[in-house]
Every structure is written in C-alpha cells, then in structure tokens.
Amino acid sequence: MTKRTVTKAELLLRRSNPADASAIADLMTTTFGGDDTQKLDAAWWRWKYGSNPAGFQGLVAQDADGHLIGHFGGIPLSVRADNELFTFAQSCDTCIDPAMRRGLRNPGLFVRLAQAYTSTYGIPGVNDVMFGFPNRRAYRIGNRYSDYWMLRQQWQLVSEGESSEPTDTSIQIHEATSLDEDVTALWERLLPRYRCLTRRDARFLRWRFLDAPDSPYRITLARSKTDHTLRAYAVHRLARLNDNDVGVLVDWLCDPTDQAAARSLQAAVRERYTRLGRSMVVFLCSTSSPWFGAFQDWGFRVRPSHYVMTARPFVPQLEPHFLREHWYYTLADFDIL
Amino acid sequence: MGHFELRTATDEDGAGIADGFARAIGSDPNQIRSHVVSALHNNPHGSSSVVAAAPDGRIIAHLGVTHVPMLVNGEPLLFGRFHSCFVDPVYRTGGVHGLFNALDNLFREAFEIREHLAAVFGQWDEMDWWYLRRARGHDAVATSIDLRCPANHPVLELGGEGIVITQDGEGSESANLLKVGNCGVRHDGKLDAWRAAAPGRSDHLWQAWRAGERTGMAITRDIGGVRRILDWTVEPEDTESIRALLHALTVDTGVPVHTRFWTSDVPTLLLFQEAGFQVVAGPEVYLSVRPVLPHLHQLWLSENWHVTLADAGLHPLPRLTIGESIVVPPSPGTWGGRQHDAE
C-alpha cells in the first residue's frame, strides 16, 4: 500500500451527497476489505442513505485531486418520546482511506471528521441524540476526542434450542413478505406502552428491511385467530455472530402485556432456526425493557456482547437517565445487521 | 469560604475526619467514626486520604481511598477505590466541586504515582460520572447489572461431592490466595476476614474448600428481607466450586437473593442464571477508572475485570457521602442542567 501524505491545506471536509455514492462505497470497500454479507456499491448507499425516510447525514473528506479519503455517516431515526418527535442519529460507516491514516498528525483525519460531524449535526434542531455501537477502536478515539457517552454496557440474550413454551391456540403465526399498514397501526397502538420508541411504521420497516439490497430478513407476524388483528411482529435473519452462525432477532414489537402473542412468536422464531440447524438465537435490546426479563423467562440467557452503547443527548428532555430507563431499541435501530 | 490547608491525612486525623463527616451530613459521629476506622484504618492493605484543615485544626473536607490488592495478568498491583468524601457546608461556596477538585488534585499528586497506586476507581450515577469523566479524567469501564433470585427457587444441583463449604469458620485469616482470572482482587484470608467484619452488620463469610485448599469465597448480608451477595470470587473454570457455593448461598434462605456485578466472566454469569438468578438492569451504575499505569485501559478492564459490590462499594459514592451531587453545574443538555439553569 502506498503511503500518501495530505496537508491540512489540501483537505476539504464537506457534506456528502448522492453524487458521492460510488466513491463512498469504494472507500468503504477499500477500508474494510469488503463484506461477504453485504455488497458495498452505489445501490447500497442509495438505499441506506438516500432512501431513509428520515433523511441522511454525512461528511466526506476529499484531497486536492477530489478523491474521497474519509467518510462519517449518520442514519437519522424519527423517535417519539413522551408524545414529542425527536431525531436520533446513529453514527456509522466511519472510514479513512488506509493509505492516509499515517499521513496526518495527531489528531488524525478520523478525529477531525468525527469532530466536524458533531459540530455540523450535533446541535438542537438537527439531532436531539447521537448514538451508536462503535467498535473498540472507534470508541477509544471517540471517547477521547468526540465526547462519546457510554450509555451502558450492552448485553445480549441468547437461546439454545426450541422454546419449551406452548404456542397459544388463540394466536396465528405466519411469515410475511410484505409489510402492510397494519404494522403502522400496531406501532401507533403500542405508543403508550413505550415512552421512547423509533417510528416503527410500515414506511420505516420497509426501508429498513425489505428494501435493503439482497434483503436477508424474514418477517414473522402474530395475529389474533379470531379477527386477524396484528398483535406482534418479529424480524430475523441468519448471521455470523459471536463466532457462530446464528439466528438473530433483529426487531421485535409487541404489547409487553400480551404474553400470548409474545410467547408464541418467539417460539416460532426459535423453531425456525432449530429447523435450519441453527439452534442459537440472539436478541439484543435495552436492558431496561420489559422484554429483557421476558426473554429470560422463556429460556434466553444473558451474555456480554462486544458492544458499548453510546449516546449523547442535545436536548434536556432526553437526559441519559431517561434514555437508559425508557428508550426501547433493538438491532433495527442500528446498522450492524 | 475561610482559609484552609490542604494536606495528606495522618493516622491522627481519624477522629477529625469522622467529626467533619458528621457535621457535613448530619449523622452520628460515633457511627461514622466506626465506618471510617473500619474502611480506611483497618484495611490490611491500607488507605490513602487527603484533607482540608481549617486554621483551628478542624477537618473541613476529606477524600478517602481504600486500597484494593489486585492481581493483573499475574502481577500484584494496588488499586484505590474512592470510599468517602465530604465537604463542610460552610466551605461549599461556589459549589461542592471547588474543594472536591482541590482535594482530588492533591490526591493525584501525592498518591497516583506508579510506586503507590496503579489505578483509582469508583462507582457513580450518570451525573457524577459525567463530571468525573469531563473534569477528573475518569473513564467508564462498565455499567452494573443486578442479578436476583426469588425466594425458594429450586437450588442449583451440586456438580460433585468434592467441595466443602464453611461459614464464618476457623482458619479464615490464614486462608490462601484465591485464583482469579486475568484481573481480580487478590483475595487472601486476612482481606476476606476484614471485608466480612463491617461495623454494625452481621455479614457472613462463606468459603469453598477442595481437599483442604480454598477454592472460593463469598460474603453475604441479610438485610430487609433480602440476602445480598456482597462479594464473590471463584476461579471461572471451577464450576464444581461455583455450584457448591451458589447452592449453599441460596438453599433454605426463604428470602430473595440479590447481587450486583459490573463485569464478570461468562461461565459465572451463566451458572448464576442456571441457579435461578434473573438479570435485571437495576440502577446501571457506572464503574470508572483513572489509571496510573497506562496498560490498565478501560476497554481491557471492561472485558477482564471481575467486580463485585465489595470491590466497588455498596452505593454510588458522592450522593451517599456528600449528601448532594458533586456535579455543579450539571451536564449541559440534561434535565439536571435545565433545573440548575432555571434556578
């Protein structure tokens, strides 16, 4: 690899735009060496950033020749907390051209991009909360230079084998290949049950799961047998996690008091992965969520994860104590799977 | 604020610290004295304290750190845990943090040197941790999780018959060092006996033995209809000892059993869950560290350091001991900040 040196005078930091799609994807591929599970190309950028119903954020760094040498992305989410709408933005896809990493003095381009990103987007009226699951290197640097706040050490729930819980006969479980407006109705109906929750309407879920290039996600729904009312949904997929091929429960929405639907739905998901020869199912959610206890009741066990949940609020209503206590998140709120 | 002198504490300051503490938080001086003597003076591994003294000799502020012997990758090191702190209300002009900062600065200069302490640590809530991180150089290692086992839950089956459990028995003080993982407290009998002798409490020391060799220990406190496991150390791979000790702690208690870990090894966590403990968020208290030795990085510690209530303390420190948050002003963009700004 040829080492390149860029001086400060030759460096331009600016907001990303759709014309950068291919260059950002190429930079990501160069930096991370490609990803077996997701092809990083212009279509990927157009889906992940260009099609997000809540918009996109991002900064790029380019050298004097116009080559992109750094990217810091943000995925905004529309979140309802105590009947107010807020914008939470996940920091992601942070990368620096490997040839550049040693070319700048400390703090390096990574830090300067991160600081510029926070200055640009971390202000009231733009982002109310910035959050993420940084990898260890990014956390180390972010903690030092960008005021990352540890919200919590993130735990994961892991099951092995089928559920011993009986399926409730009043519940109908079926797989879906589309998401209709009744998921929006479910989200609206459950808002009083969750004080801080991403807008999980059909538009968001279609973008997040169905529109993803080569979508690996499966959707399982739980309905009342009598009137077919949607009671709960689960989005899941096969993935490599914890050095194992496992089923991952990526998203989960259900009334916390609706034990019949919840029990039956988790049993169906586990049964599916057992059938596929993947007896381990992993679910990740906020520790304070009622589901953290419920899944343990159904045989899931708590294990450490590699993730540190970081979040930094920019409005007083969303102080860290509130976020720790009331923000229900799953992997649907993140881009890692 | 009147004049005062900042200095390191001496053995003769014990009574003055207790009296100042009592004035600051309005508690019984005798009770506080017994706590201070127990935690700082009686610790077999010692303690380090700094004080602010008024011209008349009264102690008007104190920051005390109790020493914790550690074994880190086989190397014996000494950590210091923030144990107690007070600032006399008369000297809080401009906020508690002014004098707290002065005490903490002196503490760093006097004691946070590699020949003395390898790191200092403590546990804090969201507000105080924010302040300590921004202003005092602390890095978060982990947030706590609570484990709770309901009363009369079926006990964990024993993994064999090779382990003998004793309670408050003979030979505690002479017990050998326990094996710990990559990073843990250097438990010997003397340390454990001191830890189990909290003033005004009837704590119990449990020990696991295999063929006369000590393989594990726990300290419990029965209070308010709950048994709390304050301390717990068993070699992670020794599932037979873990099972036997957990069995002894939970069998026939008739009350719920609770404990709190910050970080812990996977086998231990899984066996606690197998024994009927459910993991709950609890207050998710921050454990933070300010390392003196650079290799004691927060991220390494977050994966390797086994931390119990007895290691980190029963309560987040400043609110307990100062009686108010040391964060003045509170962090911007927070509810506390808004309340403060509105005042």
Side-chain angles (χ1 to χ4, degrees):
Chain A
M1 186 180 297
T2 308
K3 184 174 143 184
R4 296 164 65 193
T5 302
V6 176
T7 65
K8 286 180 184 174
E10 295 171 322
L11 188 66
L12 172 67
L13 303 185
R14 61 167 174 79
R15 290 178 192 246
S16 56
N17 63 60
D20 297 319
S22 291
I24 292 171
D26 290 347
L27 181 63
M28 289 279 292
T29 304
T30 304
T31 306
F32 298 118
D35 184 335
D36 292 342
T37 58
Q38 189 159 47
K39 187 180 175 191
L40 301 174
D41 56 14
W44 160 81
W45 190 95
R46 282 195 291 272
W47 159 69
K48 185 170 182 176
Y49 290 90
S51 306
N52 179 359
F56 75 90
Q57 300 170 358
L59 290 186
V60 291
Q62 67 180 53
D63 64 15
D65 299 327
H67 295 123
L68 291 199
I69 55 173
H71 175 251
F72 199 112
I75 305 290
L77 299 173
S78 180
V79 175
R80 186 176 282 271
D82 283 348
N83 296 319
E84 275 190 78
L85 270 179
F86 296 95
T87 300
F88 287 29
Q90 184 205 175
S91 305
C92 56
D93 296 331
T94 309
C95 58
I96 302 297
D97 186 334
M100 293 294 166
R101 284 185 189 161
R102 298 177 193 284
L104 294 173
R105 291 188 172 183
N106 193 29
L109 182 53
F110 183 96
V111 171
R112 294 169 65 193
L113 252 183
Q115 289 175 333
Y117 179 85
T118 307
S119 305
T120 307
Y121 296 105
I123 52 176
V126 180
N127 285 334
D128 300 303
V129 172
M130 286 166 62
F131 70 97
F133 274 155
N135 62 35
R136 295 174 73 80
R137 175 177 172 270
Y139 180 72
R140 185 189 293 250
I141 295 172
N143 184 51
R144 183 168 176 194
Y145 291 105
S146 292
D147 203 19
Y148 280 20
W149 293 15
M150 177 194 275
L151 201 65
R152 62 164 54 94
Q153 177 175 311
Q154 186 61 51
W155 301 87
Q156 57 187 340
L157 293 147
V158 180
S159 72
E160 295 202 42
E162 289 188 45
S163 171
S164 57
E165 298 288 326
T167 304
D168 194 291
T169 52
S170 67
I171 302 296
Q172 177 195 27
I173 301 288
H174 68 101
E175 293 219 354
T177 52
S178 63
L179 287 161
D180 302 323
E181 284 307 315
D182 58 356
V183 295
T184 304
L186 175 70
W187 165 72
E188 286 173 343
R189 203 168 65 239
L190 295 185
L191 277 174
R193 301 283 187 194
Y194 295 90
R195 285 186 62 183
C196 186
L197 179 69
T198 296
R199 179 197 287 268
R200 280 170 159 77
D201 59 7
R203 190 172 172 221
F204 166 77
L205 294 171
R206 283 186 202 123
W207 163 74
R208 174 66 179 84
F209 298 119
L210 298 180
D211 298 344
D214 303 320
S215 172
Y217 304 104
R218 312 291 292 215
I219 299 161
T220 306
L221 305 178
R223 296 181 184 278
S224 295
K225 260 190 182 160
T226 48
D227 60 4
H228 301 289
T229 302
L230 182 63
R231 304 258 293 265
Y233 75 77
V235 182
H236 46 96
R237 59 170 289 182
L238 279 169
R240 184 86 182 157
L241 207 63
N242 308 330
D243 298 324
N244 286 299
D245 292 319
V246 299
V248 179
L249 190 49
V250 181
D251 199 17
W252 172 271
L253 190 64
C254 181
D255 185 335
T257 64
D258 190 350
Q259 292 291 305
R263 257 199 326 265
S264 302
L265 187 57
Q266 64 86 29
V269 172
R270 289 167 69 177
E271 192 268 333
R272 172 188 162 78
Y273 288 98
T274 304
R275 216 170 51 233
L276 293 173
R278 306 282 186 265
S279 60
M280 193 178 283
V281 172
V282 177
F283 180 45
L284 192 150
C285 67
S286 38
T287 323
S288 52
S289 148
W291 298 117
F292 192 74
F295 274 77
Q296 290 180 67
D297 292 339
W298 300 325
F300 282 71
R301 292 288 167 259
V302 177
R303 295 182 180 208
S305 79
H306 296 299
Y307 302 115
V308 173
M309 175 62 178
T310 59
R312 182 176 172 189
F314 294 93
V315 292
Q317 297 95 318
L318 302 174
E319 60 170 329
H321 182 75
F322 177 89
L323 293 174
R324 277 155 49 116
E325 190 83 14
H326 300 296
W327 181 16
Y328 172 65
Y329 58 80
T330 68
L331 283 170
D333 299 270
F334 299 83
D335 72 332
I336 52 179
L337 281 176
Chain B
M1 190 185 298
H3 294 288
F4 56 84
E5 175 202 12
L6 287 169
R7 59 174 172 79
T8 56
T10 66
D11 287 345
E12 286 71 46
D13 287 324
I17 289 170
D19 290 343
F21 227 117
R23 279 198 311 278
I25 65 172
S27 287
D28 173 20
N30 290 328
Q31 193 181 10
I32 290 178
R33 187 171 295 131
S34 65
H35 280 291
V36 169
V37 167
S38 168
L40 300 180
H41 188 265
N42 292 352
N43 181 349
H45 296 271
S47 62
S48 301
S49 289
V50 290
V51 295
D56 62 4
R58 281 178 307 127
I59 304 295
I60 52 94
H62 156 81
L63 176 62
V65 166
T66 191
H67 294 173
V68 182
M70 298 287 296
L71 206 56
V72 181
N73 283 334
E75 181 186 7
L77 296 173
L78 202 58
F79 283 17
R81 170 168 67 83
F82 280 100
H83 172 266
S84 51
C85 177
F86 78 82
V87 175
D88 190 303
V90 175
Y91 287 81
R92 292 182 192 177
T93 311
V96 175
H97 66 301
L99 200 39
F100 176 82
N101 284 353
L103 289 169
D104 196 42
N105 285 340
L106 175 61
F107 189 91
R108 292 176 82 157
E109 289 168 16
F111 299 117
E112 292 185 31
I113 50 178
R114 58 175 60 229
E115 296 79 12
H116 191 66
L117 291 173
V120 292
F121 69 99
Q123 58 156 321
W124 325 93
D125 67 8
E126 297 97 345
M127 300 273 282
D128 292 333
W129 170 73
W130 183 90
Y131 166 76
L132 287 157
R133 175 175 172 273
R134 289 298 300 259
R136 308 309 312 161
H138 282 246
D139 284 321
V141 172
T143 50
S144 64
I145 49 160
D146 285 9
L147 292 99
R148 295 178 186 168
C149 182
N152 302 316
H153 190 278
V155 293
L156 192 64
E157 285 180 26
L158 294 170
E161 296 181 351
I163 301 298
V164 174
I165 303 295
T166 61
Q167 185 185 349
D168 307 323
E170 290 293 313
S172 295
E173 290 219 11
S174 61
N176 63 310
L177 275 176
L178 282 173
K179 290 178 185 170
V180 295
N182 292 334
C183 182
V185 170
R186 211 163 4 115
H187 280 277
D188 61 17
K190 206 169 177 183
L191 176 80
D192 295 341
W194 166 68
R195 279 190 166 188
R201 305 291 186 194
S202 299
D203 295 345
H204 296 292
L205 173 62
W206 308 72
Q207 298 178 94
W209 307 83
R210 179 187 288 117
E213 284 287 307
R214 194 167 76 134
T215 57
M217 62 76 62
I219 295 172
T220 60
R221 175 176 296 174
D222 296 337
I223 187 167
V226 174
R227 166 167 290 177
R228 299 181 83 183
I229 302 174
L230 304 182
D231 208 354
W232 171 274
T233 295
V234 183
E235 191 177 6
E237 288 78 23
D238 188 354
T239 55
E240 191 184 15
S241 294
I242 296 175
R243 282 177 173 277
L245 202 49
L246 261 180
H247 182 277
L249 299 187
T250 53
V251 71
D252 296 333
T253 58
V255 294
V257 182
H258 295 178
T259 193
R260 177 173 297 164
F261 288 152
W262 276 262
T263 68
S264 194
D265 55 275
V266 174
T268 300
L269 273 180
L270 291 179
L271 276 169
F272 266 80
Q273 292 175 82
E274 194 185 326
F277 285 78
Q278 188 170 66
V279 182
V280 299
E284 298 190 282
V285 182
Y286 287 96
L287 178 79
S288 74
V289 68
R290 187 166 66 198
V292 177
L293 301 181
H295 66 274
L296 298 174
H297 191 273
Q298 66 187 112
L299 292 176
W300 184 84
L301 291 170
S302 74
E303 291 193 333
N304 292 281
W305 187 5
H306 168 70
V307 187
T308 67
L309 277 165
D311 302 333
L314 296 185
H315 305 282
L317 174 62
R319 282 166 200 275
L320 173 73
T321 53
I322 295 181
E324 63 178 83
S325 172
I326 58 170
V327 183
V328 182
S331 49
T334 68
W335 196 252
R338 190 163 76 165
Q339 285 178 325
H340 179 267
D341 292 341
E343 284 169 0

